[in-house]
Amino acid sequence: MSTQWFGYLGALIVLTLSLVNLLAQDWRKRVIALAIQAIGVFFLCWQSLSWTLAFVKFIEGWMAAAILGSAMSNLNQNRKTSQTSLQVSPTISFPLSAFAFRLATVLLVGVFTFGGASSLMANFNGVRFPQAIAILGLSGISLLILGFRTSTFSISLGLITFLNGFEILLAVIEPSVMLTGLLAGVVLSISFLGAYLLTIEGVKT
Amino acid sequence: MTMNAPQIWILIPMVFSLGLLPLIRWRKLVALLGSGFALSFAVVAWLLPIGKLLTIGIFDVEVQPSWSLFGRSFILENADRPFLIILYLGLGFWYIGTFSTRVHPLFVPLGMGIGVALTASVLIQPNFYGAILILIAAMMTVVLFTAEEQEVFLGVKRFWVFQSLAMPFLLLAGWMISGTEANPEAIPGATLIYILLLLGLSLLLGGAPFQSWLPAVAERVNLYSFSFVTFITSFFTLLYALTLLKQTPWLSSSGWIVIFFSFQGFLLTLFGGLGAVYHRHLGRWVGYALIKEIGLSFLLIGLGLISSNPNAFLGFFFVHVFPRGIVLALLAFACNLYIERKGSLQIQELAGLGRQFPFATIAFFVSVLTLVGFPLTAAFPIHLLIWQGWFVQFPPIAFAAIFGSVGVLIGGLRAMAVLVRSVDEAREGSLESRSQIILLTISTVALLLAGVFPQWFLPYLYRLGLTFMQSE
């Protein structure tokens, strides 16, 4: 399989899994989606970076997913322990209309993504079509996540998704070791901060 | 002996702030170490020239201005010393206040860490990397705010999201700017640069419509930490923007940039004034007053950009921040005393507190007058300069700036009216401690003297600003 196909595969992975992050309710599915999204980001960055530098994106994504997953797991464990005696079910209902509305906004983002891809490729030399749709798609869907969901966990996921899109663009235009390292540091800081805030929320509940 | 300036001003304070973390259980010790360190570094910034040979006894010392790290460099020149003096004086001033008011133990180490990250953001070359360091400072701020309240509320989430979204836009705009040397007409994608840069600056500086986090956060967190963080962050982020403009002449002469700063200033002073009039919470009032102050800074920069000598005019930026720093610290100190007594800053709960905290209330009143640029206060000369300048250029903006000040004044006077109201409980007499009275009196007198004798501080601060603005 040529590297170009890896690009399309990467775009398919990141767009599908960011959609899962927008629509899914179960935090486990969302953490797994974030981890697999990192594989897509790796494929897309690999188009423009050496595989060792692109692998940093993969490691960073997995570490971020692991940090957030651990924090959510601890939080859930604490909540279960405190709720066992009260027999309270933590189920949250998610109406079909909300699901349909989110899908409709995703369609709008899709139109913007495919419409803007050529403009992005024209403004930034070297950006390929699968990278362009991944950058715009991730940015659009992450803004939807940040707009629709206000929990700390969702904000962390939304910000990491937004930065993932941005990382793909920077991998093409500024493939420096320093920048790759700094951005990896920022993504990990966001996940650590998210985990810290989740712990505070857990202590409060 | 050769030393390195960025290592002195970035590495040493960073190691110091990390070293304070294990000591946070001893609050007074941490406050003492922090204030001593900050004040001594302010003196060092004042006395130690960079890039020149200095003879101390038998030693010849030279401080190098550049430090290379992973192919990028931090450059601290002699002309950058003014903002270091302001930073460390500010840190020292706020840290001294922690002896007499309630703050979270993490305030001193995290405050120092935030200061270091913001300093590094202005010093790093290429300039656009600074956006990442500002984000790191913002994340430390989120930790400080949430550690105090042990609660993650919507305002702080908004702050986190806006600051995180600003970074990619500014980084990308900076990267595109660094590839251009010509005039905007010759640059393909100049429109994209404007969009990215202006969106990034709005998100970063709390410009409209991203200003809502300010009152929302001020309502919930310790006002002393809030005032410190917002003062230092707004100062450095505006300095970051000014550095970007200074290094890119075609950008600073662009009409779009002038329109951006003027329009943002117009909106922010209006929003700040309106919000301040109708507040029911003293914390929110401080938030709205800060929105108005940020708007005023935008108007000052906008006015500077259209003046015949922008660098000379923008030197006033340093004059503008001095009274703001003292005022914010005093307001926060007074509000902290009120909240320690009543547990809330809801306006109706504050009735009569002025009689129990007379010195804090006098400081509050003087701060309100200074904040709005009342005649004979320290902020009056700079307010007058902005009002007059905009009246000549475009009167509606000058009216908006005055409206903002009037709004904040009305809000402040409403609070004063409640504070000095007579209630039975107020017969207890003054509840301030001796150290609180001393701190409040010194700061209030300094503020009044700076207002009556502006020639004592104005020329000196203006020269500091001019040195910074005229450096390459």
Side-chain angles (χ1 to χ4, degrees), chain A residues 150 152 156 162 166 169 173-174 176 179 186 189 193 196-197 200 204, chain B residues 72 129 132 135 139 143 146-147 150 152 157 160-161 168 172 175:
Chain A
T150 53
T152 305
S156 309
F162 188 83
F166 177 66
L169 178 60
I173 61 172
E174 179 82 4
S176 79
L179 197 56
V186 167
S189 306
L193 184 57
Y196 168 74
L197 298 181
I200 286 183
K204 201 78 182 171
Chain B
R72 301 291 176 272
Y129 280 89
I132 297 178
L135 174 59
M139 286 199 267
V143 172
T146 48
Q150 287 293 302
V152 189
K157 285 179 183 173
W160 179 27
V161 170
L172 207 52
W175 177 83

PDB file of all heavy atoms in Angstrom, chain A residues 150 152 156 162 166 169 173-174 176 179 186 189 193 196-197 200 204, chain B residues 72 129 132 135 139 143 146-147 150 152 157 160-161 168 172 175:
ATOM      1  N   THR A 150     -20.027  20.377  28.021  1.00  0.00           N
ATOM      2  CA  THR A 150     -19.282  21.282  28.909  1.00  0.00           C
ATOM      3  C   THR A 150     -18.562  20.554  30.041  1.00  0.00           C
ATOM      4  O   THR A 150     -17.968  21.203  30.905  1.00  0.00           O
ATOM      5  CB  THR A 150     -20.227  22.329  29.529  1.00  0.00           C
ATOM      6  OG1 THR A 150     -21.305  21.624  30.134  1.00  0.00           O
ATOM      7  CG2 THR A 150     -20.731  23.314  28.516  1.00  0.00           C
ATOM      8  N   THR A 152     -15.659  18.559  32.015  1.00  0.00           N
ATOM      9  CA  THR A 152     -14.196  18.695  31.961  1.00  0.00           C
ATOM     10  C   THR A 152     -13.592  17.651  31.028  1.00  0.00           C
ATOM     11  O   THR A 152     -12.668  17.947  30.251  1.00  0.00           O
ATOM     12  CB  THR A 152     -13.618  18.522  33.380  1.00  0.00           C
ATOM     13  OG1 THR A 152     -14.267  19.453  34.217  1.00  0.00           O
ATOM     14  CG2 THR A 152     -12.130  18.760  33.402  1.00  0.00           C
ATOM     15  N   SER A 156     -11.423  18.431  27.643  1.00  0.00           N
ATOM     16  CA  SER A 156     -10.068  17.904  27.407  1.00  0.00           C
ATOM     17  C   SER A 156     -10.015  17.210  26.052  1.00  0.00           C
ATOM     18  O   SER A 156      -9.090  17.437  25.262  1.00  0.00           O
ATOM     19  CB  SER A 156      -9.682  16.906  28.496  1.00  0.00           C
ATOM     20  OG  SER A 156      -9.901  17.449  29.753  1.00  0.00           O
ATOM     21  N   PHE A 162      -8.714  19.287  18.713  1.00  0.00           N
ATOM     22  CA  PHE A 162      -8.392  20.516  17.968  1.00  0.00           C
ATOM     23  C   PHE A 162      -6.885  20.599  17.715  1.00  0.00           C
ATOM     24  O   PHE A 162      -6.432  20.886  16.600  1.00  0.00           O
ATOM     25  CB  PHE A 162      -8.855  21.739  18.784  1.00  0.00           C
ATOM     26  CG  PHE A 162      -8.751  23.036  18.026  1.00  0.00           C
ATOM     27  CD1 PHE A 162      -9.753  23.430  17.158  1.00  0.00           C
ATOM     28  CD2 PHE A 162      -7.658  23.859  18.178  1.00  0.00           C
ATOM     29  CE1 PHE A 162      -9.665  24.622  16.452  1.00  0.00           C
ATOM     30  CE2 PHE A 162      -7.549  25.049  17.479  1.00  0.00           C
ATOM     31  CZ  PHE A 162      -8.557  25.430  16.614  1.00  0.00           C
ATOM     32  N   PHE A 166      -4.331  20.663  14.286  1.00  0.00           N
ATOM     33  CA  PHE A 166      -3.301  21.682  14.133  1.00  0.00           C
ATOM     34  C   PHE A 166      -1.911  21.048  13.979  1.00  0.00           C
ATOM     35  O   PHE A 166      -1.075  21.519  13.211  1.00  0.00           O
ATOM     36  CB  PHE A 166      -3.383  22.571  15.374  1.00  0.00           C
ATOM     37  CG  PHE A 166      -2.357  23.641  15.433  1.00  0.00           C
ATOM     38  CD1 PHE A 166      -2.363  24.668  14.506  1.00  0.00           C
ATOM     39  CD2 PHE A 166      -1.387  23.638  16.408  1.00  0.00           C
ATOM     40  CE1 PHE A 166      -1.413  25.665  14.564  1.00  0.00           C
ATOM     41  CE2 PHE A 166      -0.442  24.622  16.472  1.00  0.00           C
ATOM     42  CZ  PHE A 166      -0.453  25.639  15.544  1.00  0.00           C
ATOM     43  N   LEU A 169      -1.215  20.012  10.473  1.00  0.00           N
ATOM     44  CA  LEU A 169      -0.829  21.153   9.632  1.00  0.00           C
ATOM     45  C   LEU A 169       0.618  21.561   9.894  1.00  0.00           C
ATOM     46  O   LEU A 169       1.406  21.782   8.960  1.00  0.00           O
ATOM     47  CB  LEU A 169      -1.779  22.332   9.912  1.00  0.00           C
ATOM     48  CG  LEU A 169      -1.498  23.626   9.146  1.00  0.00           C
ATOM     49  CD1 LEU A 169      -1.571  23.398   7.647  1.00  0.00           C
ATOM     50  CD2 LEU A 169      -2.488  24.710   9.544  1.00  0.00           C
ATOM     51  N   ILE A 173       4.082  22.177   7.522  1.00  0.00           N
ATOM     52  CA  ILE A 173       4.710  23.482   7.257  1.00  0.00           C
ATOM     53  C   ILE A 173       5.939  23.759   8.112  1.00  0.00           C
ATOM     54  O   ILE A 173       6.809  24.512   7.727  1.00  0.00           O
ATOM     55  CB  ILE A 173       3.690  24.643   7.395  1.00  0.00           C
ATOM     56  CG1 ILE A 173       3.113  24.694   8.812  1.00  0.00           C
ATOM     57  CG2 ILE A 173       2.583  24.519   6.368  1.00  0.00           C
ATOM     58  CD1 ILE A 173       2.258  25.912   9.059  1.00  0.00           C
ATOM     59  N   GLU A 174       6.030  23.182   9.295  1.00  0.00           N
ATOM     60  CA  GLU A 174       7.184  23.461  10.180  1.00  0.00           C
ATOM     61  C   GLU A 174       7.607  22.148  10.864  1.00  0.00           C
ATOM     62  O   GLU A 174       7.294  21.904  12.037  1.00  0.00           O
ATOM     63  CB  GLU A 174       6.769  24.517  11.220  1.00  0.00           C
ATOM     64  CG  GLU A 174       7.827  24.910  12.215  1.00  0.00           C
ATOM     65  CD  GLU A 174       8.825  25.948  11.741  1.00  0.00           C
ATOM     66  OE1 GLU A 174       8.658  26.456  10.623  1.00  0.00           O
ATOM     67  OE2 GLU A 174       9.767  26.220  12.484  1.00  0.00           O
ATOM     68  N   SER A 176       9.804  20.839  12.665  1.00  0.00           N
ATOM     69  CA  SER A 176      10.980  20.945  13.543  1.00  0.00           C
ATOM     70  C   SER A 176      10.808  20.072  14.788  1.00  0.00           C
ATOM     71  O   SER A 176       9.698  19.817  15.239  1.00  0.00           O
ATOM     72  CB  SER A 176      11.203  22.396  13.952  1.00  0.00           C
ATOM     73  OG  SER A 176      10.324  22.764  14.967  1.00  0.00           O
ATOM     74  N   LEU A 179       9.363  22.097  17.859  1.00  0.00           N
ATOM     75  CA  LEU A 179       7.922  22.339  17.813  1.00  0.00           C
ATOM     76  C   LEU A 179       7.150  21.054  18.101  1.00  0.00           C
ATOM     77  O   LEU A 179       6.149  21.063  18.826  1.00  0.00           O
ATOM     78  CB  LEU A 179       7.534  22.911  16.446  1.00  0.00           C
ATOM     79  CG  LEU A 179       6.178  23.587  16.392  1.00  0.00           C
ATOM     80  CD1 LEU A 179       6.072  24.694  17.415  1.00  0.00           C
ATOM     81  CD2 LEU A 179       5.918  24.168  15.014  1.00  0.00           C
ATOM     82  N   VAL A 186       2.333  20.244  25.212  1.00  0.00           N
ATOM     83  CA  VAL A 186       1.056  20.947  25.417  1.00  0.00           C
ATOM     84  C   VAL A 186      -0.103  19.948  25.498  1.00  0.00           C
ATOM     85  O   VAL A 186      -0.961  20.037  26.386  1.00  0.00           O
ATOM     86  CB  VAL A 186       0.820  21.974  24.280  1.00  0.00           C
ATOM     87  CG1 VAL A 186      -0.607  22.485  24.295  1.00  0.00           C
ATOM     88  CG2 VAL A 186       1.782  23.141  24.417  1.00  0.00           C
ATOM     89  N   SER A 189       0.071  18.236  28.721  1.00  0.00           N
ATOM     90  CA  SER A 189      -0.325  19.154  29.806  1.00  0.00           C
ATOM     91  C   SER A 189      -1.841  19.271  29.861  1.00  0.00           C
ATOM     92  O   SER A 189      -2.424  19.313  30.956  1.00  0.00           O
ATOM     93  CB  SER A 189       0.260  20.551  29.589  1.00  0.00           C
ATOM     94  OG  SER A 189       1.629  20.482  29.427  1.00  0.00           O
ATOM     95  N   LEU A 193      -3.948  18.328  33.024  1.00  0.00           N
ATOM     96  CA  LEU A 193      -4.832  19.327  33.632  1.00  0.00           C
ATOM     97  C   LEU A 193      -6.261  18.787  33.693  1.00  0.00           C
ATOM     98  O   LEU A 193      -6.952  18.943  34.708  1.00  0.00           O
ATOM     99  CB  LEU A 193      -4.776  20.631  32.827  1.00  0.00           C
ATOM    100  CG  LEU A 193      -5.568  21.803  33.374  1.00  0.00           C
ATOM    101  CD1 LEU A 193      -5.145  22.141  34.794  1.00  0.00           C
ATOM    102  CD2 LEU A 193      -5.396  23.038  32.497  1.00  0.00           C
ATOM    103  N   TYR A 196      -6.443  16.345  36.466  1.00  0.00           N
ATOM    104  CA  TYR A 196      -6.423  17.047  37.765  1.00  0.00           C
ATOM    105  C   TYR A 196      -7.807  17.639  38.070  1.00  0.00           C
ATOM    106  O   TYR A 196      -8.325  17.499  39.184  1.00  0.00           O
ATOM    107  CB  TYR A 196      -5.355  18.141  37.707  1.00  0.00           C
ATOM    108  CG  TYR A 196      -5.392  19.123  38.842  1.00  0.00           C
ATOM    109  CD1 TYR A 196      -4.962  18.765  40.115  1.00  0.00           C
ATOM    110  CD2 TYR A 196      -5.874  20.418  38.645  1.00  0.00           C
ATOM    111  CE1 TYR A 196      -5.005  19.676  41.154  1.00  0.00           C
ATOM    112  CE2 TYR A 196      -5.917  21.326  39.683  1.00  0.00           C
ATOM    113  CZ  TYR A 196      -5.486  20.955  40.928  1.00  0.00           C
ATOM    114  OH  TYR A 196      -5.543  21.853  41.957  1.00  0.00           O
ATOM    115  N   LEU A 197      -8.400  18.256  37.044  1.00  0.00           N
ATOM    116  CA  LEU A 197      -9.721  18.860  37.259  1.00  0.00           C
ATOM    117  C   LEU A 197     -10.781  17.787  37.517  1.00  0.00           C
ATOM    118  O   LEU A 197     -11.689  17.975  38.321  1.00  0.00           O
ATOM    119  CB  LEU A 197     -10.111  19.726  36.062  1.00  0.00           C
ATOM    120  CG  LEU A 197      -9.203  20.929  35.772  1.00  0.00           C
ATOM    121  CD1 LEU A 197      -9.708  21.722  34.568  1.00  0.00           C
ATOM    122  CD2 LEU A 197      -9.099  21.850  36.966  1.00  0.00           C
ATOM    123  N   ILE A 200     -10.546  16.853  41.063  1.00  0.00           N
ATOM    124  CA  ILE A 200     -11.208  17.846  41.925  1.00  0.00           C
ATOM    125  C   ILE A 200     -12.721  17.657  41.893  1.00  0.00           C
ATOM    126  O   ILE A 200     -13.386  17.671  42.922  1.00  0.00           O
ATOM    127  CB  ILE A 200     -10.826  19.273  41.476  1.00  0.00           C
ATOM    128  CG1 ILE A 200      -9.386  19.553  41.893  1.00  0.00           C
ATOM    129  CG2 ILE A 200     -11.760  20.320  42.055  1.00  0.00           C
ATOM    130  CD1 ILE A 200      -8.914  20.932  41.570  1.00  0.00           C
ATOM    131  N   LYS A 204     -15.257  16.650  45.020  1.00  0.00           N
ATOM    132  CA  LYS A 204     -16.435  17.471  45.322  1.00  0.00           C
ATOM    133  C   LYS A 204     -17.700  16.604  45.370  1.00  0.00           C
ATOM    134  O   LYS A 204     -18.558  16.821  46.210  1.00  0.00           O
ATOM    135  CB  LYS A 204     -16.581  18.548  44.241  1.00  0.00           C
ATOM    136  CG  LYS A 204     -17.403  19.724  44.656  1.00  0.00           C
ATOM    137  CD  LYS A 204     -16.617  20.656  45.546  1.00  0.00           C
ATOM    138  CE  LYS A 204     -17.480  21.827  45.993  1.00  0.00           C
ATOM    139  NZ  LYS A 204     -16.811  22.616  47.003  1.00  0.00           N
TER     140      LYS A 204
ATOM    141  N   ARG B  72      16.404  26.970  19.030  1.00  0.00           N
ATOM    142  CA  ARG B  72      15.700  28.243  19.198  1.00  0.00           C
ATOM    143  C   ARG B  72      16.451  29.051  20.247  1.00  0.00           C
ATOM    144  O   ARG B  72      17.243  28.500  21.005  1.00  0.00           O
ATOM    145  CB  ARG B  72      14.242  28.025  19.637  1.00  0.00           C
ATOM    146  CG  ARG B  72      13.426  27.198  18.657  1.00  0.00           C
ATOM    147  CD  ARG B  72      13.189  27.949  17.366  1.00  0.00           C
ATOM    148  NE  ARG B  72      12.482  27.152  16.368  1.00  0.00           N
ATOM    149  CZ  ARG B  72      13.064  26.353  15.490  1.00  0.00           C
ATOM    150  NH1 ARG B  72      14.377  26.200  15.470  1.00  0.00           N
ATOM    151  NH2 ARG B  72      12.358  25.670  14.603  1.00  0.00           N
ATOM    152  N   TYR B 129       6.673  31.354  18.927  1.00  0.00           N
ATOM    153  CA  TYR B 129       6.698  30.262  19.908  1.00  0.00           C
ATOM    154  C   TYR B 129       6.157  30.720  21.265  1.00  0.00           C
ATOM    155  O   TYR B 129       5.800  29.899  22.099  1.00  0.00           O
ATOM    156  CB  TYR B 129       8.126  29.746  20.078  1.00  0.00           C
ATOM    157  CG  TYR B 129       8.573  28.801  18.986  1.00  0.00           C
ATOM    158  CD1 TYR B 129       9.178  29.262  17.837  1.00  0.00           C
ATOM    159  CD2 TYR B 129       8.374  27.434  19.117  1.00  0.00           C
ATOM    160  CE1 TYR B 129       9.585  28.401  16.832  1.00  0.00           C
ATOM    161  CE2 TYR B 129       8.779  26.567  18.122  1.00  0.00           C
ATOM    162  CZ  TYR B 129       9.386  27.052  16.976  1.00  0.00           C
ATOM    163  OH  TYR B 129       9.770  26.191  16.001  1.00  0.00           O
ATOM    164  N   ILE B 132       2.874  29.342  22.816  1.00  0.00           N
ATOM    165  CA  ILE B 132       2.843  28.070  23.556  1.00  0.00           C
ATOM    166  C   ILE B 132       3.138  28.332  25.036  1.00  0.00           C
ATOM    167  O   ILE B 132       2.488  27.769  25.928  1.00  0.00           O
ATOM    168  CB  ILE B 132       3.879  27.084  22.968  1.00  0.00           C
ATOM    169  CG1 ILE B 132       3.520  26.748  21.524  1.00  0.00           C
ATOM    170  CG2 ILE B 132       3.946  25.808  23.800  1.00  0.00           C
ATOM    171  CD1 ILE B 132       4.487  25.826  20.832  1.00  0.00           C
ATOM    172  N   LEU B 135       0.219  29.745  26.805  1.00  0.00           N
ATOM    173  CA  LEU B 135      -0.760  28.695  27.125  1.00  0.00           C
ATOM    174  C   LEU B 135      -0.334  27.938  28.388  1.00  0.00           C
ATOM    175  O   LEU B 135      -1.172  27.603  29.231  1.00  0.00           O
ATOM    176  CB  LEU B 135      -0.918  27.740  25.932  1.00  0.00           C
ATOM    177  CG  LEU B 135      -1.801  26.527  26.184  1.00  0.00           C
ATOM    178  CD1 LEU B 135      -3.205  26.938  26.587  1.00  0.00           C
ATOM    179  CD2 LEU B 135      -1.881  25.638  24.947  1.00  0.00           C
ATOM    180  N   MET B 139      -2.459  27.500  31.791  1.00  0.00           N
ATOM    181  CA  MET B 139      -2.812  26.236  32.451  1.00  0.00           C
ATOM    182  C   MET B 139      -2.429  26.269  33.934  1.00  0.00           C
ATOM    183  O   MET B 139      -3.137  25.725  34.777  1.00  0.00           O
ATOM    184  CB  MET B 139      -2.163  25.067  31.712  1.00  0.00           C
ATOM    185  CG  MET B 139      -2.858  24.782  30.385  1.00  0.00           C
ATOM    186  SD  MET B 139      -2.559  23.182  29.728  1.00  0.00           S
ATOM    187  CE  MET B 139      -1.170  23.495  28.684  1.00  0.00           C
ATOM    188  N   VAL B 143      -4.901  25.829  37.309  1.00  0.00           N
ATOM    189  CA  VAL B 143      -4.589  25.033  38.505  1.00  0.00           C
ATOM    190  C   VAL B 143      -4.760  25.894  39.759  1.00  0.00           C
ATOM    191  O   VAL B 143      -5.370  25.472  40.741  1.00  0.00           O
ATOM    192  CB  VAL B 143      -3.149  24.471  38.420  1.00  0.00           C
ATOM    193  CG1 VAL B 143      -2.751  23.809  39.736  1.00  0.00           C
ATOM    194  CG2 VAL B 143      -3.032  23.468  37.280  1.00  0.00           C
ATOM    195  N   THR B 146      -8.572  26.672  40.445  1.00  0.00           N
ATOM    196  CA  THR B 146      -9.375  25.526  40.893  1.00  0.00           C
ATOM    197  C   THR B 146      -8.871  24.975  42.220  1.00  0.00           C
ATOM    198  O   THR B 146      -9.656  24.447  43.006  1.00  0.00           O
ATOM    199  CB  THR B 146      -9.368  24.408  39.832  1.00  0.00           C
ATOM    200  OG1 THR B 146      -8.020  24.194  39.417  1.00  0.00           O
ATOM    201  CG2 THR B 146     -10.208  24.753  38.645  1.00  0.00           C
ATOM    202  N   ALA B 147      -7.570  25.130  42.483  1.00  0.00           N
ATOM    203  CA  ALA B 147      -7.041  24.651  43.771  1.00  0.00           C
ATOM    204  C   ALA B 147      -7.652  25.465  44.909  1.00  0.00           C
ATOM    205  O   ALA B 147      -7.929  24.932  45.982  1.00  0.00           O
ATOM    206  CB  ALA B 147      -5.526  24.779  43.794  1.00  0.00           C
ATOM    207  N   GLN B 150     -11.497  24.427  44.970  1.00  0.00           N
ATOM    208  CA  GLN B 150     -11.769  22.978  44.913  1.00  0.00           C
ATOM    209  C   GLN B 150     -13.048  22.707  44.123  1.00  0.00           C
ATOM    210  O   GLN B 150     -13.869  21.882  44.502  1.00  0.00           O
ATOM    211  CB  GLN B 150     -11.879  22.381  46.323  1.00  0.00           C
ATOM    212  CG  GLN B 150     -10.532  22.269  47.031  1.00  0.00           C
ATOM    213  CD  GLN B 150      -9.582  21.263  46.380  1.00  0.00           C
ATOM    214  OE1 GLN B 150      -9.905  20.096  46.241  1.00  0.00           O
ATOM    215  NE2 GLN B 150      -8.425  21.712  45.927  1.00  0.00           N
ATOM    216  N   VAL B 152     -14.586  23.018  39.821  1.00  0.00           N
ATOM    217  CA  VAL B 152     -14.314  23.388  38.428  1.00  0.00           C
ATOM    218  C   VAL B 152     -15.587  24.036  37.886  1.00  0.00           C
ATOM    219  O   VAL B 152     -16.544  23.347  37.572  1.00  0.00           O
ATOM    220  CB  VAL B 152     -13.950  22.143  37.592  1.00  0.00           C
ATOM    221  CG1 VAL B 152     -13.462  22.554  36.218  1.00  0.00           C
ATOM    222  CG2 VAL B 152     -12.891  21.317  38.282  1.00  0.00           C
ATOM    223  N   LYS B 157     -13.516  27.079  33.000  1.00  0.00           N
ATOM    224  CA  LYS B 157     -13.485  26.221  31.803  1.00  0.00           C
ATOM    225  C   LYS B 157     -13.418  27.084  30.551  1.00  0.00           C
ATOM    226  O   LYS B 157     -12.687  26.782  29.609  1.00  0.00           O
ATOM    227  CB  LYS B 157     -14.730  25.328  31.749  1.00  0.00           C
ATOM    228  CG  LYS B 157     -14.700  24.177  32.737  1.00  0.00           C
ATOM    229  CD  LYS B 157     -15.973  23.378  32.624  1.00  0.00           C
ATOM    230  CE  LYS B 157     -16.018  22.263  33.655  1.00  0.00           C
ATOM    231  NZ  LYS B 157     -17.305  21.586  33.677  1.00  0.00           N
ATOM    232  N   TRP B 160      -9.954  28.411  30.129  1.00  0.00           N
ATOM    233  CA  TRP B 160      -9.057  27.348  29.654  1.00  0.00           C
ATOM    234  C   TRP B 160      -9.254  27.132  28.141  1.00  0.00           C
ATOM    235  O   TRP B 160      -8.285  27.079  27.379  1.00  0.00           O
ATOM    236  CB  TRP B 160      -9.357  26.080  30.459  1.00  0.00           C
ATOM    237  CG  TRP B 160      -8.544  24.874  30.102  1.00  0.00           C
ATOM    238  CD1 TRP B 160      -7.290  24.853  29.553  1.00  0.00           C
ATOM    239  CD2 TRP B 160      -8.928  23.516  30.300  1.00  0.00           C
ATOM    240  NE1 TRP B 160      -6.874  23.560  29.399  1.00  0.00           N
ATOM    241  CE2 TRP B 160      -7.853  22.723  29.842  1.00  0.00           C
ATOM    242  CE3 TRP B 160     -10.053  22.878  30.816  1.00  0.00           C
ATOM    243  CZ2 TRP B 160      -7.895  21.326  29.886  1.00  0.00           C
ATOM    244  CZ3 TRP B 160     -10.077  21.487  30.864  1.00  0.00           C
ATOM    245  CH2 TRP B 160      -9.026  20.720  30.401  1.00  0.00           C
ATOM    246  N   VAL B 161     -10.497  27.033  27.717  1.00  0.00           N
ATOM    247  CA  VAL B 161     -10.785  26.783  26.301  1.00  0.00           C
ATOM    248  C   VAL B 161     -10.292  27.948  25.439  1.00  0.00           C
ATOM    249  O   VAL B 161      -9.603  27.745  24.427  1.00  0.00           O
ATOM    250  CB  VAL B 161     -12.304  26.551  26.086  1.00  0.00           C
ATOM    251  CG1 VAL B 161     -12.656  26.539  24.610  1.00  0.00           C
ATOM    252  CG2 VAL B 161     -12.734  25.248  26.725  1.00  0.00           C
ATOM    253  N   PRO B 168      -2.984  27.917  18.850  1.00  0.00           N
ATOM    254  CA  PRO B 168      -2.768  27.520  17.455  1.00  0.00           C
ATOM    255  C   PRO B 168      -2.906  28.669  16.466  1.00  0.00           C
ATOM    256  O   PRO B 168      -2.113  28.782  15.530  1.00  0.00           O
ATOM    257  CB  PRO B 168      -3.851  26.477  17.200  1.00  0.00           C
ATOM    258  CG  PRO B 168      -4.271  26.023  18.519  1.00  0.00           C
ATOM    259  CD  PRO B 168      -4.049  27.125  19.463  1.00  0.00           C
ATOM    260  N   LEU B 172       0.238  29.887  14.219  1.00  0.00           N
ATOM    261  CA  LEU B 172       0.139  29.815  12.760  1.00  0.00           C
ATOM    262  C   LEU B 172       0.318  31.204  12.131  1.00  0.00           C
ATOM    263  O   LEU B 172       1.056  31.358  11.141  1.00  0.00           O
ATOM    264  CB  LEU B 172      -1.242  29.255  12.403  1.00  0.00           C
ATOM    265  CG  LEU B 172      -1.368  28.510  11.088  1.00  0.00           C
ATOM    266  CD1 LEU B 172      -0.321  27.420  10.982  1.00  0.00           C
ATOM    267  CD2 LEU B 172      -2.758  27.885  10.979  1.00  0.00           C
ATOM    268  N   TRP B 175       3.923  32.115  12.385  1.00  0.00           N
ATOM    269  CA  TRP B 175       4.721  31.371  11.396  1.00  0.00           C
ATOM    270  C   TRP B 175       4.572  32.010  10.013  1.00  0.00           C
ATOM    271  O   TRP B 175       5.561  32.177   9.288  1.00  0.00           O
ATOM    272  CB  TRP B 175       4.266  29.913  11.349  1.00  0.00           C
ATOM    273  CG  TRP B 175       4.996  29.126  10.313  1.00  0.00           C
ATOM    274  CD1 TRP B 175       6.224  28.544  10.445  1.00  0.00           C
ATOM    275  CD2 TRP B 175       4.572  28.871   8.972  1.00  0.00           C
ATOM    276  NE1 TRP B 175       6.584  27.948   9.267  1.00  0.00           N
ATOM    277  CE2 TRP B 175       5.598  28.124   8.354  1.00  0.00           C
ATOM    278  CE3 TRP B 175       3.437  29.192   8.238  1.00  0.00           C
ATOM    279  CZ2 TRP B 175       5.513  27.694   7.028  1.00  0.00           C
ATOM    280  CZ3 TRP B 175       3.350  28.775   6.925  1.00  0.00           C
ATOM    281  CH2 TRP B 175       4.380  28.029   6.338  1.00  0.00           C
TER     282      TRP B 175
END
